[in-house]
Amino acid sequence: MDKKIDGAVISLVRGDITGEGTDAVVNAANTRLAGGGGVDGAIHRAGGPAIMEECRKIGGCPAGGAVITTGGRLKAKYVIHAVGPIYKDGLHDEKELLSSAYRASLELALQKGLKSVSFPSISTGAYGYPVGEASEVALKTVIDFLRSRKGLEAVRFVLFSDPDLEAYRKSLEKLAP
Ligand code: AR6
């Protein structure tokens, strides 16, 4: 599913983000940038050790933030490591932190002059954020960004399961009918 937002396109696809050919892929990282399971493990496995070498030099990143490294052996030239919140009950700034992680990633992409970025569904795996709510936060943040800041041409959400894709599809339909 595609939606045009001003000059850019938001696409929702089902797949494995490590195969994406966008300028950057976003990783759902932790504050220590230490690697882990889920999409983080998959990106480091596919991209090779050069990514972790840069992560170690950077040292860490707070929740709500993002840092950028090489894409190593990935097709994508860069990996943007975004740190989403660990979901508790929705009353611990989860929404603000999740939105901030998406915004920080988009800011980094613009700073580097990138045109296309692929996101996974940050925080909705090991970090437990309900995907219905997270998809609305993610898409609203990206739509607001694309409407106010020019330069990006394509933002892809690469969802790992059909239910996740369906949740994002519903949210996008609601936010940009
Ligand atoms: N491509 C796209 N999406 C994927 C892939 C993939 N190859 N693999 C998993 N997903 P998670 P989080 C989906 O747990 O919740 C790590 O250990 C997955 O199905 O990867 O932000 C980090 O080191 C889910 O929908 O990230 C952190 O410690 C989504 O990606 C912690 O987990 C996010 O799930 C971060 O947790």
Side-chain angles (χ1 to χ4, degrees):
M1 177 182 187
D2 284 1
K3 282 274 177 199
K4 233 179 159 163
I5 305 291
D6 293 351
V9 178
I10 296 180
S11 305
L12 309 181
V13 300
R14 196 192 144 178
D16 177 346
I17 202 167
T18 61
E20 284 290 302
T22 43
D23 297 331
V25 297
V26 176
N27 181 19
N30 53 60
T31 55
R32 292 177 304 127
L33 304 177
V39 70
D40 198 356
I43 284 175
H44 282 287
R45 267 195 307 280
I51 301 175
M52 186 49 80
E53 250 169 60
E54 278 190 46
C55 283
R56 279 203 202 95
K57 280 185 199 145
I58 297 167
C61 176
V67 302
I68 189 163
T69 68
T70 174
R73 293 194 297 256
L74 294 174
K75 256 191 252 169
K77 192 161 177 212
Y78 297 99
V79 175
I80 294 171
H81 305 263
V83 183
I86 299 171
Y87 190 88
K88 294 190 184 78
D89 51 10
L91 304 172
H92 288 80
D93 289 337
E94 290 96 334
K95 188 173 172 183
E96 291 73 19
L97 290 168
L98 185 62
S99 179
S100 168
Y102 279 97
R103 228 173 9 254
S105 302
L106 294 164
E107 287 287 356
L108 278 175
L110 266 196
Q111 271 172 32
K112 285 271 178 193
L114 309 186
K115 298 290 177 202
S116 57
V117 185
S118 298
F119 282 99
S121 180
I122 298 171
S123 280
T124 66
Y127 283 0
Y129 209 124
V131 69
E133 292 169 41
S135 61
E136 278 199 36
V137 175
L139 286 162
K140 182 168 188 332
T141 304
V142 170
I143 291 168
D144 288 349
F145 191 91
L146 293 175
R147 285 188 174 142
S148 61
R149 309 286 303 279
K150 297 300 156 206
L152 284 167
E153 291 170 2
V155 176
R156 289 165 62 81
F157 282 88
V158 182
L159 291 325
F160 211 47
S161 71
D162 284 331
D164 286 355
L165 177 60
E166 181 56 18
Y168 274 75
R169 198 194 58 72
K170 271 196 191 143
S171 294
L172 185 54
E173 205 48 67
K174 179 172 157 190
L175 292 165

